Amino acid sequence: MAVRPITVIGHKALHSPTKKVKEVTDELRTLVADMYDTMEAADGVGLAANQVGSRLRVFVYDCPVPDGPNVRGVVVNPVLERLGTPPPLEEEEHGEGCLSVPGEWFPLARHPRARVTGTDLDGNEIVVEGEGLLARCLQHETDHLDGYLYVDRLTGPVKAEAREAVKDRGWAADGVLKWDPSTTTADKV
């Protein structure tokens, strides 16, 4: 398939809710295959359709989990259920990053568990549930499809730090609202 350019913060596609998939078409199957290729080229663990310019409500993921192989799949029309209480931010050990905010990482307390329901490309109902990185990924990708970036959820000094980092990157000022993971690494965007 093909690696597609990834939209960067400031692009309108990232700030609008996506549209429900009404039927699985050959075009959707091609999009999903391209999303897997793009996610792999960008060294990501998840990718939402609006990150590659599509308005469809679908995401792919390929997350490492402790003591096992990566959990990999696609969810069409995901519905998210957050489980548990997020830890206090000062106890957050891992930062969160995003292929649409390349090269930046900021602490964000997410719910420790998450469940997503939806369908696969054959129309079968699926449930994906996880904790740790998989829970973070499910919340992050569903947020994308709802028109939110993880930096939109930051608060206080961390939010100010993120705004400054994005401003310093100059993506919007330079008109650079996409990057090509087949030719560029995220930290060089």
Side-chain angles (χ1 to χ4, degrees):
M1 291 294 136
V3 173
R4 297 186 182 201
I6 297 175
T7 56
V8 175
I9 187 170
H11 193 289
K12 65 181 179 181
L14 297 174
H15 304 285
S16 302
T18 53
K19 297 177 182 178
K20 188 173 182 178
V21 173
K22 294 181 181 172
E23 80 175 291
V24 174
T25 63
D26 288 341
E27 291 81 14
L28 178 62
R29 290 180 187 280
T30 298
L31 170 66
V32 167
D34 290 354
M35 288 171 64
Y36 278 122
D37 289 347
T38 303
M39 178 178 59
E40 182 178 326
D43 199 26
V45 298
L47 188 68
N50 55 343
Q51 290 182 273
V52 293
S54 171
R55 297 282 317 274
L56 296 176
R57 189 166 181 81
V58 60
F59 72 80
V60 297
Y61 60 96
D62 189 355
C63 286
V65 293
D67 303 321
N70 283 13
V71 177
R72 179 179 165 100
V74 58
V75 184
V76 177
N77 299 327
V79 175
L80 174 68
E81 182 180 356
R82 294 173 178 89
L83 305 168
T85 303
L89 188 58
E90 61 270 8
E91 293 179 21
E92 174 60 32
E93 295 178 12
H94 305 288
E96 187 162 326
C98 179
L99 297 175
S100 291
V101 188
E104 300 294 338
W105 292 83
F106 298 99
L108 176 63
R110 293 274 193 180
H111 292 263
R113 296 179 43 96
R115 178 183 305 125
V116 167
T117 56
T119 61
D120 63 16
L121 288 177
D122 295 321
N124 300 311
E125 289 186 24
I126 58 170
V127 177
V128 182
E129 187 171 331
E131 56 188 32
L133 180 59
L134 180 56
R136 183 177 294 276
C137 178
L138 296 174
Q139 293 169 79
H140 182 106
E141 300 310 327
T142 305
D143 273 356
H144 271 301
L145 299 176
D146 292 337
Y148 296 100
L149 293 168
Y150 86 102
V151 294
D152 297 330
R153 296 206 180 275
L154 300 175
T155 60
V158 176
K159 186 174 191 97
E161 183 183 340
R163 274 195 212 122
E164 192 63 30
V166 168
K167 182 180 172 186
D168 288 348
R169 293 280 186 156
W171 294 310
D174 294 342
V176 178
L177 295 176
K178 293 184 180 185
W179 69 283
D180 185 344
S182 66
T183 62
T184 309
T185 61
D187 61 338
K188 302 293 183 198
V189 177

